[in-house]
Amino acid sequence: MSTDRKNQANQLARECIVTALMQLLKEKPLSAISISELTQRAGVSRMTYYRNYQSKEDIFSSYLDEALAHYQREARELSLDRQIYDSANLFHCFSYFEKHKEFLDSLFKSGLGHLLLTAISKYIIEAWYKPEDGIETYYGLQAFAGALYNLYISWSSNGSKETPAELVNLLQSIAPHTHNT
């Protein structure tokens, strides 16, 4: 089997495992889900699971890493990395939250919501912070990461009624920026 086909098969197996985990989390808590049950639901072998993950929590971390890498590629392609408060940039962010809502809700349900905050903070610092910017900018970016994280939690727990465009307007009205970040 060619390397490309192996990678595609492995990616498909990983997607099946993530989907199976989200389905099982609708039925029971993460701690009650066995690896055997997860692999059976995913239609993959235990060997495939252990080739990709060390723990059930690792499924969430890996998926977030992949989603963040995809998000970063899209942002670069769309030239959204110029201004953090730009409407197009925020719309892209909230659209991504909406697209991955089921996964993110599963993450929170499992008590692993901090992984999202870590991913958001990491991305924002890597994308917009330069050491010469100073500590005020650094803390401002960290506060912005926290605002995105908390806005997602509130939006989700409130039934996700607002569209990404409405979330952009809300964030820009409640946290107006006074300088370019």
Side-chain angles (χ1 to χ4, degrees):
M1 185 184 286
S2 73
T3 303
D4 243 7
R5 289 190 60 202
K6 277 185 182 177
N7 288 340
Q8 287 175 332
N10 196 47
Q11 184 60 35
L12 179 60
R14 291 169 63 89
E15 289 171 13
C16 290
I17 292 169
V18 169
T19 300
L21 181 60
M22 289 189 299
Q23 290 170 353
L24 288 167
L25 283 168
K26 291 176 184 174
E27 301 167 14
K28 58 177 87 174
L30 184 64
S31 60
I33 299 171
S34 70
I35 301 303
S36 294
E37 181 179 27
L38 177 60
T39 55
Q40 183 178 15
R41 176 76 62 103
V44 301
S45 69
R46 288 176 64 90
M47 188 171 78
T48 298
Y49 170 83
Y50 285 112
R51 185 176 49 243
N52 288 284
Y53 305 108
Q54 295 177 10
S55 67
K56 292 176 282 187
E57 294 79 4
D58 195 31
I59 298 168
F60 288 111
S61 296
S62 295
Y63 185 90
L64 269 175
D65 288 345
E66 290 170 16
L68 181 59
H70 187 257
Y71 179 90
Q72 288 173 312
R73 281 191 302 278
E74 278 185 4
R76 278 191 301 273
E77 289 167 10
L78 297 170
S79 298
L80 297 177
D81 52 359
R82 295 200 177 112
Q83 175 123 34
I84 196 164
Y85 286 98
D86 180 68
S87 294
N89 181 43
L90 292 173
F91 182 80
H92 182 243
C93 174
F94 294 132
S95 295
Y96 229 71
F97 283 162
E98 184 177 56
K99 176 181 177 181
H100 295 281
K101 183 181 180 338
E102 184 180 2
F103 171 79
L104 294 174
D105 288 349
S106 295
L107 185 76
F108 281 95
K109 183 177 181 179
S110 300
L112 299 171
H114 65 280
L115 295 176
L116 177 61
L117 177 58
T118 301
I120 293 170
S121 295
K122 178 183 174 193
Y123 170 72
I124 287 175
I125 294 302
E126 287 176 359
W128 282 288
Y129 181 70
K130 295 176 275 330
E132 63 270 15
D133 289 340
I135 198 71
E136 183 179 313
T137 298
Y138 176 80
Y139 285 129
L141 291 170
Q142 290 291 3
F144 181 69
L148 291 176
Y149 174 78
N150 284 307
L151 189 59
Y152 175 79
I153 292 170
S154 298
W155 174 73
S156 179
S157 64
N158 195 33
S160 311
K161 297 172 190 149
E162 296 80 13
T163 66
E166 290 170 322
L167 290 172
V168 169
N169 291 335
L170 283 168
L171 181 59
Q172 288 181 329
S173 70
I174 60 177
H177 55 288
T178 57
H179 64 295
N180 289 342
T181 303

